Amino acid sequence: MARRRYRKNQGLIEIALTSNWKVAATLAAGSAFGGAVVIPALFGRSAMLAPVAAMLVPLAWFIAAIFFVIALGRFMKQQTAAETPSSFHHRTDGHGLAVQTSRRPAPPAGSAVLANRIEPRESRATTEAFPSRPDAWSLDVLDRIEWKRFEDVCCAFYREKGIRAETTVLGPDGGVDVRLFQDDADPTRVTSIVQCKAWNQQVGVKPVRELRGVMAHEKVHKAFFMAPNGYTDDARAFAAENRITLLDGKLILAMLQRLPAESSRRLLEFATEGDWTTPTCPKCGERMTGRESRRGPFWGCTTYPKCAGKLPMRAQTSR
């Protein structure tokens, strides 16, 4: 999954234009403080430097005014967005803003699988309505699930099958999203590895080759690749020669539908609980939000500037 960083030469104005209004407000306050206090204190007491202060003070106030206008515009825009459902349609690879925190109901008594299932990461606040929840599995549902929830659903699927499965921690996963343990003689030995890609395009041969390298490194003889939008011919040919099972959307859907009705329903509820379509930040695990830049819309972390996580925003594919 691509994790692009902010360009080093990105200007303060562009940051203010694409961030929370508080960032621009802070920059405005800092510029005003510089014009009112810092510059006079540094240059105002010297007759030689007085002309420099005379030039810098108006400039600082002018910059403060620019950031104030930006902050006011961003505040009004975010207030409007809070009252209107988001119009962004997306498909991410991994990976939106502030969604409502909801407490998950306790699992039904006697449900050992639910007691051990993976909890999706949820956000702190809410300004947007949750997307509607489907009543049945479909290719469209698989295509809309955000990247982290998709990984968790894949892991939960194996647990529903009675297989011990564990996801990797958030961050660089080394080419593995889920590890499977099926050796009764040695419960700690990894028997298979799973890589998940919730992309809106076919997976090429490169990620499949990387998975083969991880198999060799971890001395695992079997691997699964789960990607709703399928694979290129080169990827399929390479996988067939290297004990890698490729699972596309149709196969994943069939696997989910073949589960016992209760297990399939439980997985669907888990997959579509809360905000299940807005991507998770690949760096910190918070939700992301749709933002605009000169290069077009993108997903940015809601905690920016604390976290500068970004993801490209892609148009939702049709089937």
Side-chain angles (χ1 to χ4, degrees):
M1 178 186 62
R3 293 179 173 89
R4 298 179 296 174
R5 297 182 181 274
Y6 278 98
R7 302 188 308 275
K8 291 183 179 180
N9 61 349
Q10 187 179 33
L12 290 177
I13 291 181
E14 183 176 355
I15 293 175
L17 287 170
T18 58
S19 304
N20 188 286
W21 68 271
K22 295 179 181 179
V23 176
T26 300
L27 292 171
S31 299
F33 181 77
V37 179
V38 177
I39 294 176
L42 292 177
F43 302 103
R45 297 178 181 178
S46 171
M48 184 178 296
L49 297 178
V52 177
M55 291 187 297
L56 293 180
V57 168
L59 179 60
W61 281 105
F62 177 72
I63 294 174
I66 292 177
F67 285 127
F68 174 79
V69 172
I70 293 175
L72 181 61
R74 294 294 297 168
F75 175 78
M76 296 177 65
K77 182 176 180 180
Q78 290 171 19
Q79 288 296 108
T80 301
E83 300 171 359
T84 306
S86 174
S87 62
F88 285 113
H89 294 280
H90 66 279
R91 183 74 184 114
T92 73
D93 53 3
H95 25 6
L97 171 66
V99 295
Q100 185 173 5
T101 300
S102 61
R103 290 192 176 274
R104 186 180 307 280
S111 178
V113 175
L114 268 184
N116 293 321
R117 73 183 185 178
I118 298 173
E119 300 292 329
R121 299 177 184 274
E122 307 229 346
S123 174
R124 301 175 180 175
T126 179
T127 57
E128 299 178 9
F130 290 156
S132 60
R133 299 182 70 173
D135 55 10
W137 283 107
S138 67
L139 292 177
D140 180 65
V141 171
L142 290 175
D143 194 57
R144 294 175 64 196
I145 298 175
E146 65 100 6
W147 73 272
K148 188 64 179 73
R149 185 73 64 89
F150 178 71
E151 290 181 5
D152 291 346
V153 168
C154 292
C155 183
F157 166 80
Y158 288 106
R159 290 181 176 179
E160 291 286 351
K161 297 280 289 183
I163 300 171
R164 179 187 162 202
E166 295 180 0
T167 56
T168 56
V169 297
L170 192 70
D173 53 32
V176 179
D177 293 315
V178 181
R179 288 181 170 85
L180 306 180
F181 304 81
Q182 294 176 271
D183 188 344
D184 293 335
D186 184 2
T188 64
R189 186 175 75 87
V190 178
T191 54
S192 304
I193 56 177
V194 184
Q195 179 71 315
C196 310
K197 292 293 183 187
W199 291 351
N200 73 328
Q201 60 186 11
Q202 291 184 329
V203 173
V205 70
K206 181 179 178 181
V208 183
R209 283 200 184 106
E210 292 172 349
L211 183 58
R212 180 65 185 90
V214 177
M215 291 171 62
H217 177 72
E218 298 198 6
K219 298 179 181 179
V220 173
H221 300 294
K222 191 174 184 180
F224 300 91
F225 208 120
M226 306 181 78
N229 280 282
Y231 310 86
T232 63
D233 292 340
D234 288 343
R236 290 186 179 279
F238 182 86
E241 298 173 355
N242 290 278
R243 300 184 301 278
I244 299 176
T245 301
L246 302 183
L247 302 171
D248 60 14
K250 292 182 179 180
L251 287 174
I252 297 171
L253 178 62
M255 291 161 55
L256 292 168
Q257 293 174 336
R258 282 199 296 265
L259 286 171
E262 180 63 18
S263 293
S264 182
R265 180 195 61 79
R266 189 159 50 231
L267 270 181
L268 180 62
E269 291 180 353
F270 169 64
T272 60
E273 185 173 13
D275 188 352
W276 55 283
T277 62
T278 302
T280 300
C281 177
K283 290 187 175 182
C284 70
E286 292 291 336
R287 289 292 178 180
M288 308 188 86
T289 184
R291 289 180 175 155
E292 292 284 347
S293 71
R294 290 180 297 181
R295 296 185 176 184
F298 67 95
W299 292 109
C301 184
T302 57
T303 66
Y304 180 83
K306 180 180 178 181
C307 174
K310 292 176 62 178
L311 286 174
M313 185 176 292
R314 298 181 172 127
Q316 189 172 6
T317 58
S318 60
R319 292 185 180 275

